[in-house]
Every structure is written in structure tokens, then in C-alpha cells.
Amino acid sequence: MPAQLLKGKPVADAVKEELSAKIADLSFVPGLRFVRVGEDPASMSYVRGKQKMAESIGLDAQTHELPEETTQEELLALIEELNNDDNVDGILVQLPVPDHIDDTVVLEAINPEKDVDGFHPENVGRLWTGQESLLPCTPAGLIRIMDHYELPIQGQHVVIVGRSNIVGKPAAAVFLARSATVTIAHSRTLDLPALTKQADVIVAAVGIAGFIKADMVKEGVVALDVGLTRIDGKIVGDIHPDVAEKAAYLTPMPGGTGRMTVAMLMENTYNAAVRRRG
Ligand code: GUN
């Protein structure tokens, strides 16, 4: 029997509906600012999607579009301005930034209280030490989708393929916090199939289309696809479509984890606003 699809839309819609009501109840309008440097088409499309969802739930959302040749100093000056703006609760600098800008310096410049991506080292440290923090949105979305479809996490062997700061590493932290047994594998892992075949839950986040094949997973696996590649205008995930024949549950691509990432960004913005403004 083919896998049951873990669609992101119903889960994201539920989050949006709940947040819209909570935002309408506040005595202020939370502010979210996107910063995009350059004209990367994928980044432009992602930021447009985030801006649209933010507006639709009643946030005060604005996008700062900076030219490709923006210097690091100019970008840091804008971040400083947003850090000091009391109407701004969340700041998101869309990655990647152009090569002449050091993303580590940029992410560290964002006030951790406004770091709705959860990428600031302070929030990363808080996450790994079990303290309250703003959670990275994609990993938070994976947990939310599993909870929504009532799939167990505690004690499950979660094999994460990919070790990026945006997905792989924080996914390990959030699943560990929920008492999963976590393995992080990556492109240089020896005998990757030996590991992925042990997975109760597989998180595919390497960014290589169709990388996880059916013969690499066990029957009944829960397969969460985070990778996204555009091939001839078509969106393809890291999980090969044949995996659907073996998996018990599979996130569709598109229509799976991506929507959840944006929904979690909205939740982070709400939480950051309420915490900061008391
Ligand atoms: N680029 C790809 N994913 C993300 C994300 O979650 N946040 C930011 N800021 N940039 C990204």
C-alpha cells in the first residue's frame, strides 16, 4: 500500500487560524521584517511567500530589498536599525547572502530576542541546552507535522541526512529534545544505506533530487522530505518517488514541509513579540 501523505497545508492552516485569532487579541500589531540581498529567484519567491502569509494573519510585515552590491557594513547598519526599532519583533535575513557578506557575522548581529529564524548562536545554544528559545522553523515544522498526524517521536530512531545549520543540526536538537534517538548522516557518511535502513523516521535534507531511494529505507518508515530542487521548472524532493511504495507516511514535495516552515516562522514572530513586549 502506498504511503499516507503527510500534507502540510491542513496543519499550516490550523496554525494560521489559531495565530490570526491570537494576533487580533493583542493590543499591538507584531512587526516582522524580511531582508533580502540580491535577486536570487528562489529567495525572491520564498520571501514573497513569507510576506504574504504574514500579512494574511495580521502581522505588520515589510520586506527590505537590498541590491546585490550592498556591503556588509550597510547590511549590519540596517540590522542595527531594526534591532532598535521597538515596533519590530522579528527580523529575518534571507539566506544565502552574496559571497562578499559573511553570514555568520550577519546572523550574530540580530538581537536574539528578534531572531525568528532561531539561527543566532545564543538561540542555538539555548536549544541544545534545553532552555526556552526561538526554534529554527523547518525542524519545528517537522515536529509539528508529526504531532498533528499523531506519529510517535519518543524512542524512535530518527536518521537525519544533511548537516546544515538551517535544517540538519537543529533537527537533531529538536528530535533529541523529544527523546528520539538521533543519527546525523551526511554526504561523506560511509555506507549510508546501512544507517538509513535502520531509520524509523528519515529526514532528507541534502538538497540532491531523489537521493533517498526505496532500497535505502525499511518498510513502514516515516519519510520527511526537506530537500528541494527545481528541475525544468518542476519541484523535486530529496526522497525518490519510489519510496512511497515502502514508507508508511511521506511528506509530499511540494505541499509538505515547506508550508510548515513558513507557519512556524509566524508562530516564532508571535512568540517573540509576546515575550519581548511582556
Ligand atoms: N534560506 C533557506 N531557508 C531559510 C530559512 O529558513 N531562513 C532564512 N533566513 N533563509 C533561508
PDB file of all heavy atoms in Angstrom, residues 50 92-95 117 119 166, ligand 1:
ATOM      1  N   LYS A  50       6.522  34.249   2.344  1.00  0.00           N
ATOM      2  CA  LYS A  50       6.511  34.521   3.787  1.00  0.00           C
ATOM      3  C   LYS A  50       5.792  35.841   4.071  1.00  0.00           C
ATOM      4  O   LYS A  50       4.999  35.955   5.011  1.00  0.00           O
ATOM      5  CB  LYS A  50       7.954  34.601   4.317  1.00  0.00           C
ATOM      6  CG  LYS A  50       8.701  33.265   4.275  1.00  0.00           C
ATOM      7  CD  LYS A  50      10.177  33.459   4.666  1.00  0.00           C
ATOM      8  CE  LYS A  50      10.992  32.211   4.362  1.00  0.00           C
ATOM      9  NZ  LYS A  50      12.419  32.364   4.700  1.00  0.00           N
ATOM     10  N   LEU A  92      14.287  38.690   9.830  1.00  0.00           N
ATOM     11  CA  LEU A  92      14.754  37.522   9.076  1.00  0.00           C
ATOM     12  C   LEU A  92      15.582  37.987   7.884  1.00  0.00           C
ATOM     13  O   LEU A  92      15.077  38.696   7.024  1.00  0.00           O
ATOM     14  CB  LEU A  92      13.560  36.679   8.596  1.00  0.00           C
ATOM     15  CG  LEU A  92      13.921  35.388   7.849  1.00  0.00           C
ATOM     16  CD1 LEU A  92      12.885  34.304   8.127  1.00  0.00           C
ATOM     17  CD2 LEU A  92      14.044  35.610   6.345  1.00  0.00           C
ATOM     18  N   VAL A  93      16.853  37.628   7.886  1.00  0.00           N
ATOM     19  CA  VAL A  93      17.707  37.890   6.723  1.00  0.00           C
ATOM     20  C   VAL A  93      17.700  36.621   5.887  1.00  0.00           C
ATOM     21  O   VAL A  93      18.155  35.565   6.342  1.00  0.00           O
ATOM     22  CB  VAL A  93      19.150  38.249   7.144  1.00  0.00           C
ATOM     23  CG1 VAL A  93      20.026  38.451   5.915  1.00  0.00           C
ATOM     24  CG2 VAL A  93      19.155  39.506   8.020  1.00  0.00           C
ATOM     25  N   GLN A  94      17.142  36.714   4.691  1.00  0.00           N
ATOM     26  CA  GLN A  94      17.036  35.518   3.848  1.00  0.00           C
ATOM     27  C   GLN A  94      18.426  35.048   3.408  1.00  0.00           C
ATOM     28  O   GLN A  94      19.240  35.845   2.939  1.00  0.00           O
ATOM     29  CB  GLN A  94      16.151  35.819   2.625  1.00  0.00           C
ATOM     30  CG  GLN A  94      15.898  34.622   1.723  1.00  0.00           C
ATOM     31  CD  GLN A  94      15.040  33.531   2.373  1.00  0.00           C
ATOM     32  OE1 GLN A  94      14.316  33.770   3.334  1.00  0.00           O
ATOM     33  NE2 GLN A  94      15.132  32.322   1.864  1.00  0.00           N
ATOM     34  N   LEU A  95      18.692  33.773   3.568  1.00  0.00           N
ATOM     35  CA  LEU A  95      19.959  33.163   3.146  1.00  0.00           C
ATOM     36  C   LEU A  95      19.750  32.427   1.830  1.00  0.00           C
ATOM     37  O   LEU A  95      18.648  31.940   1.587  1.00  0.00           O
ATOM     38  CB  LEU A  95      20.449  32.197   4.234  1.00  0.00           C
ATOM     39  CG  LEU A  95      20.685  32.826   5.621  1.00  0.00           C
ATOM     40  CD1 LEU A  95      21.062  31.748   6.627  1.00  0.00           C
ATOM     41  CD2 LEU A  95      21.749  33.905   5.562  1.00  0.00           C
ATOM     42  N   ASP A 117      14.351  33.248  13.051  1.00  0.00           N
ATOM     43  CA  ASP A 117      14.892  32.061  12.382  1.00  0.00           C
ATOM     44  C   ASP A 117      15.474  31.066  13.389  1.00  0.00           C
ATOM     45  O   ASP A 117      15.690  29.899  13.058  1.00  0.00           O
ATOM     46  CB  ASP A 117      16.046  32.476  11.442  1.00  0.00           C
ATOM     47  CG  ASP A 117      15.626  32.565   9.982  1.00  0.00           C
ATOM     48  OD1 ASP A 117      14.750  31.800   9.569  1.00  0.00           O
ATOM     49  OD2 ASP A 117      16.201  33.400   9.264  1.00  0.00           O
ATOM     50  N   PHE A 119      18.561  31.236  14.420  1.00  0.00           N
ATOM     51  CA  PHE A 119      19.917  30.950  13.923  1.00  0.00           C
ATOM     52  C   PHE A 119      21.018  31.618  14.747  1.00  0.00           C
ATOM     53  O   PHE A 119      22.191  31.341  14.548  1.00  0.00           O
ATOM     54  CB  PHE A 119      20.076  31.404  12.455  1.00  0.00           C
ATOM     55  CG  PHE A 119      19.249  30.628  11.463  1.00  0.00           C
ATOM     56  CD1 PHE A 119      19.030  31.134  10.180  1.00  0.00           C
ATOM     57  CD2 PHE A 119      18.712  29.391  11.781  1.00  0.00           C
ATOM     58  CE1 PHE A 119      18.281  30.427   9.240  1.00  0.00           C
ATOM     59  CE2 PHE A 119      17.961  28.669  10.846  1.00  0.00           C
ATOM     60  CZ  PHE A 119      17.743  29.194   9.575  1.00  0.00           C
ATOM     61  N   ILE A 166      20.810  25.168   9.040  1.00  0.00           N
ATOM     62  CA  ILE A 166      19.402  25.549   8.894  1.00  0.00           C
ATOM     63  C   ILE A 166      18.481  24.368   9.187  1.00  0.00           C
ATOM     64  O   ILE A 166      17.431  24.520   9.789  1.00  0.00           O
ATOM     65  CB  ILE A 166      19.143  26.103   7.473  1.00  0.00           C
ATOM     66  CG1 ILE A 166      19.915  27.406   7.268  1.00  0.00           C
ATOM     67  CG2 ILE A 166      17.655  26.312   7.217  1.00  0.00           C
ATOM     68  CD1 ILE A 166      19.710  28.048   5.907  1.00  0.00           C
TER      69      ILE A 166
HETATM   70  N1  GUN B   1      17.096  30.099   3.200  1.00  0.00           N
HETATM   71  C1  GUN B   1      16.612  28.854   3.094  1.00  0.00           C
HETATM   72  N2  GUN B   1      15.915  28.527   4.202  1.00  0.00           N
HETATM   73  C2  GUN B   1      15.963  29.594   5.019  1.00  0.00           C
HETATM   74  C3  GUN B   1      15.417  29.874   6.308  1.00  0.00           C
HETATM   75  O1  GUN B   1      14.754  29.055   6.951  1.00  0.00           O
HETATM   76  N3  GUN B   1      15.686  31.118   6.807  1.00  0.00           N
HETATM   77  C4  GUN B   1      16.435  32.019   6.137  1.00  0.00           C
HETATM   78  N4  GUN B   1      16.658  33.190   6.727  1.00  0.00           N
HETATM   79  N5  GUN B   1      16.952  31.790   4.950  1.00  0.00           N
HETATM   80  C5  GUN B   1      16.714  30.584   4.386  1.00  0.00           C
END
